[in-house]
Amino acid sequence: MDFRETLRAKIISIAVLFFFIWTFGGLYEIAYAAKSSRQHTADRKQGKSKGPEEKFEEAIEGIERALEEIEYSKDRREREVKKKRLRARKAEIERLDKELRKKFRETEEKIKDLPDTIKQRHREFVRKYEENLRVLREELEGIEKAKPGAEEKSAVKKAREHLRKAKKKKKQRHLDPDKLPHRTAKPVKRKPRLKKEEFHEDRNALSVMGDEIKGKTDYASRITDYESRILVASNGPLTGLLSSEVQKNGSTEGTNLLLAQADPPTDADLSETVEVQFTPAIQAKAAELGHNPVKIYNWVRNNVEFVPTYGSIQGADYCLQTLQCNAFDTASLLIALLRVSGIYARYAYGTVEIPAEKVKNWAGGFADVMDAMEMMSMGGIPVTGMTVGGEVKYVRLEHVWVEAWIDYIPSRGARQRKGDTWIPLDASFKQYNYTEGMDIRSAVPFDAQGFIDQIISTATVNEQEGWVTGVDSLFIQQTMEDYQTQIENYINQNYPGATVGDVLGKKEIIKHEFPYLLGTLPYRKIVTGGRYS
């Protein structure tokens, strides 16, 4: 198979996989889950009888309650009343045991043609059930025979301990689509901070927490000790001339020279950290780019795709591997490449304001700015919309960018000899060209309902008990192969040179090759909450 055939096979595989996952892994299962949940609710309202398994479980719970009441009864008369309840529950257990054994036999018959491992699993379950029930009977009889007082109390305690160990945890629950065990967490929406003092309040909180976690060296354990919003707030008030200028103007724009005088770089701005590590891959990429700050910035900006999430997740090296990173990790990569090149660099964190149209494109090609903000909020980014004339025209969000100590005068970083000015750089913010993929669903129709109906018609399905057997796997495989062939023929005839991006759609960064560093951010900065190494 030559390269072109290999590529085409990959395209077909991805397309078929995408289609089947979308059709059956998403909408079909969600619809079935919702239907099952509604059916369960309707059954309860209609008062349908419970199965022997559920009744048996309730009877066991009744025995547990009766044993607890007997153990804590204050006098003999009260204990005798509780023991009558225990006998009633025991009689109910014996009656239900007969029903359950009948169901065990029926199950044994149904699975007789299935693999031995399944049959063995069923037999092992029945064996454990019988053993637990035998022990329970013996312990309940022991309570009946025990003398009042310490002997009876000991027998009750022993029975309760057995039930505690033997009680089977529920593995199946009626499905509520709104309360799945693994689901996307509802976003905790936060508005971006607009005042420097608000960032400093979080810094004070971090200081207190820092005292509590001293001695911890494991980064993962430290991460769990405080919120990501506080993590990025290791800030401090600027000192000297710069602090006065910020207090007077509320901005650092146009104050680069003051910044150079008041806030010179430190060794920390050139050091490795947990996120910024000088791995061989980082060193090789910096050398490839000639250790030039302009080339480094252009490469990171033009190659790393923005992901709308919050907090340090990957770090510089892994960001270099994936090239799909959020603003924090993109900043870490840019800082790592600068620092390994001998250029001082640090993080800057604050709140910025971006036109809504650009946010829609940046966050993922959204048609509605509210959807774009919802996506960012779900990722943990503090974000809010600014309305003009009843329409959201701007988006404010907390964001991180980079400041680099650049040889800015006069070359603006084109030639890096000795740094003289802190320059803001944001390699995460950019715009994209989006191309839609092929409409495979319309071009090559698939009878999904007929496919499902055929599977159901040849299988044994018990909706009441929630199991299915006898699924025709050969039919499923043949159907998928036939559909794959149809897609392959369609692409061969209509798009013989198609790429994966042509099939599924693609997202391309609008690249810019700047000859020098602009010295400004590509949006309006509301406030710089702080700078840290």
Side-chain angles (χ1 to χ4, degrees):
M1 183 180 290
D2 60 24
F3 173 78
R4 185 165 178 171
E5 290 175 337
T6 303
L7 178 61
R8 183 172 296 138
K10 184 177 181 181
I11 295 170
I12 300 303
S13 299
I14 292 174
V16 172
L17 180 62
F18 178 84
F19 179 84
F20 272 84
I21 288 175
W22 179 82
T23 304
F24 304 111
L27 298 180
Y28 179 72
E29 288 189 6
I30 292 173
Y32 183 80
K35 178 182 177 183
S36 299
S37 180
R38 290 195 299 270
Q39 184 63 44
H40 173 59
T41 302
D43 289 349
R44 285 187 299 175
K45 289 181 178 179
Q46 294 173 10
K48 290 188 177 181
S49 60
K50 299 174 183 177
E53 301 95 335
E54 196 169 356
K55 290 179 180 179
F56 187 86
E57 185 176 351
E58 290 180 353
I60 291 294
E61 291 174 352
I63 287 176
E64 285 185 294
R65 287 193 298 271
L67 289 171
E68 183 179 6
E69 290 171 351
I70 292 171
E71 186 173 359
Y72 293 103
S73 294
K74 295 180 180 179
D75 55 57
R76 184 172 181 177
R77 183 178 179 182
E78 185 179 354
R79 280 197 303 274
E80 287 302 320
V81 172
K82 307 300 183 185
K83 287 172 75 171
K84 285 183 180 180
R85 293 182 184 177
L86 183 62
R87 296 186 193 105
R89 288 295 187 182
K90 182 176 180 293
E92 187 177 3
I93 287 287
E94 297 297 344
R95 180 181 61 79
L96 290 170
D97 175 55
K98 295 177 182 179
E99 294 185 38
L100 286 174
R101 289 179 183 276
K102 180 181 177 182
K103 294 204 72 172
F104 292 157
R105 290 191 293 271
E106 291 173 354
T107 301
E108 183 81 23
E109 179 64 25
K110 288 176 182 176
I111 65 175
K112 65 181 181 180
D113 296 325
L114 295 181
D116 290 339
T117 54
I118 295 176
K119 291 185 284 188
Q120 183 59 36
R121 195 178 303 141
H122 172 69
R123 294 184 188 121
E124 179 64 18
F125 169 80
V126 174
R127 186 191 67 77
K128 287 183 178 179
Y129 164 82
E130 291 174 341
E131 176 63 18
N132 284 327
L133 184 58
R134 181 189 66 78
V135 174
L136 179 61
R137 283 171 176 156
E138 291 176 356
E139 291 173 348
L140 294 181
E141 289 173 5
I143 293 173
E144 288 290 336
K145 297 176 181 178
K147 297 178 181 179
E151 185 178 334
E152 184 182 69
K153 188 173 182 180
S154 176
V156 170
K157 187 175 181 180
K158 184 179 178 183
R160 291 187 65 192
E161 182 65 18
H162 168 69
L163 284 178
R164 187 186 67 80
K165 292 180 179 180
K167 189 175 180 182
K168 180 173 173 284
K169 293 182 179 179
K170 288 185 179 180
K171 289 186 178 180
Q172 288 184 322
R173 299 180 189 140
H174 290 290
L175 182 61
D176 182 349
D178 295 324
K179 296 180 180 179
L180 298 174
H182 302 285
R183 60 190 183 276
T184 301
K186 292 183 179 180
V188 179
K189 296 184 178 180
R190 299 177 293 163
K191 291 186 177 180
R193 291 166 284 187
L194 303 178
K195 297 180 180 179
K196 198 173 185 69
E197 296 77 27
E198 295 177 297
F199 291 90
H200 291 159
E201 289 173 3
D202 279 352
R203 177 178 178 270
N204 293 334
L206 178 62
S207 298
V208 173
M209 290 186 178
D211 292 338
E212 295 175 355
I213 61 172
K214 280 181 180 177
K216 290 190 177 181
T217 56
D218 178 66
Y219 180 67
S221 67
R222 287 190 286 118
I223 282 287
T224 60
D225 280 297
Y226 40 89
E227 298 174 11
S228 58
R229 183 164 180 151
I230 295 175
L231 261 178
V232 300
S234 179
N235 313 314
L238 301 175
T239 58
L241 295 173
L242 178 64
S243 181
S244 301
E245 188 69 19
V246 171
Q247 291 174 9
K248 182 173 68 177
N249 298 329
S251 171
T252 60
E253 297 296 341
T255 63
N256 286 331
L257 292 178
L258 287 173
L259 183 58
Q261 297 171 22
D263 195 20
T266 67
D267 290 343
D269 300 318
L270 206 59
S271 301
E272 288 187 88
T273 69
V274 173
E275 293 89 355
V276 178
Q277 296 192 354
F278 303 158
T279 63
I282 292 290
Q283 294 181 43
K285 178 56 67 176
E288 177 188 322
L289 298 170
H291 301 294
N292 181 283
V294 177
K295 291 182 179 180
I296 290 173
Y297 169 75
N298 284 338
W299 187 87
V300 177
R301 185 207 173 278
N302 292 335
N303 288 278
V304 177
E305 182 180 323
F306 172 68
V307 178
T309 57
Y310 186 88
S312 177
I313 297 173
Q314 301 182 92
D317 186 67
Y318 198 60
C319 178
L320 179 61
Q321 296 177 46
T322 65
L323 297 181
Q324 291 183 324
C325 319
N326 65 19
F328 290 80
D329 295 323
T330 303
S332 293
L333 174 58
L334 180 55
I335 288 173
L337 292 171
L338 290 170
R339 288 183 183 179
V340 83
S341 301
I343 301 169
Y344 295 95
R346 65 190 182 188
Y347 300 89
Y349 186 83
T351 296
V352 302
E353 183 178 278
I354 307 174
E357 287 300 316
K358 291 190 175 182
V359 170
K360 290 192 294 184
N361 178 286
W362 182 42
F366 290 91
D368 190 328
V369 67
M370 300 304 293
D371 292 336
M373 289 195 296
E374 182 72 11
M375 172 64 76
M376 289 181 155
S377 182
M378 287 178 66
I381 300 173
V383 60
T384 190
M386 303 301 294
T387 304
V388 178
E391 183 180 356
V392 176
K393 290 290 187 181
Y394 300 93
V395 174
R396 288 181 176 177
L397 65 144
E398 289 188 13
H399 189 56
V400 63
W401 59 95
V402 173
E403 289 182 345
W405 185 249
I406 297 298
D407 185 352
Y408 198 68
I409 301 172
S411 67
R412 295 192 176 188
R415 293 184 62 185
Q416 180 71 13
R417 289 165 292 192
K418 185 178 180 181
D420 52 47
T421 312
W422 284 112
I423 295 301
L425 303 170
D426 188 352
S428 69
F429 180 76
K430 62 206 72 175
Q431 298 290 278
Y432 299 86
N433 285 324
Y434 294 91
T435 304
E436 291 188 6
M438 300 177 189
D439 187 359
I440 296 293
R441 189 181 185 192
S442 299
V444 189
F446 181 82
D447 184 7
Q449 189 58 53
F451 175 69
I452 295 168
D453 291 343
Q454 178 63 24
I455 293 174
I456 293 175
S457 67
T458 57
T460 302
V461 181
N462 189 318
E463 293 185 7
Q464 183 178 359
E465 297 181 15
W467 56 264
V468 58
T469 187
V471 175
D472 190 346
S473 59
L474 292 178
F475 167 73
I476 295 174
Q477 181 179 350
Q478 186 61 52
T479 301
M480 292 185 69
E481 290 176 354
D482 291 345
Y483 186 65
Q484 177 175 327
T485 300
Q486 294 178 47
I487 295 176
E488 185 174 359
N489 292 337
Y490 170 77
I491 294 176
N492 287 339
Q493 294 170 12
N494 297 278
Y495 305 94
T499 66
V500 175
D502 295 329
V503 176
L504 300 182
K506 54 188 175 182
K507 171 184 178 182
E508 297 176 301
I509 298 171
I510 300 175
K511 298 184 177 181
H512 291 297
E513 293 291 341
F514 298 105
Y516 49 79
L517 300 176
L518 301 179
T520 59
L521 294 171
Y523 39 69
R524 181 185 171 217
K525 181 174 62 178
I526 302 300
V527 60
T528 301
R531 299 173 172 87
Y532 54 104
S533 300

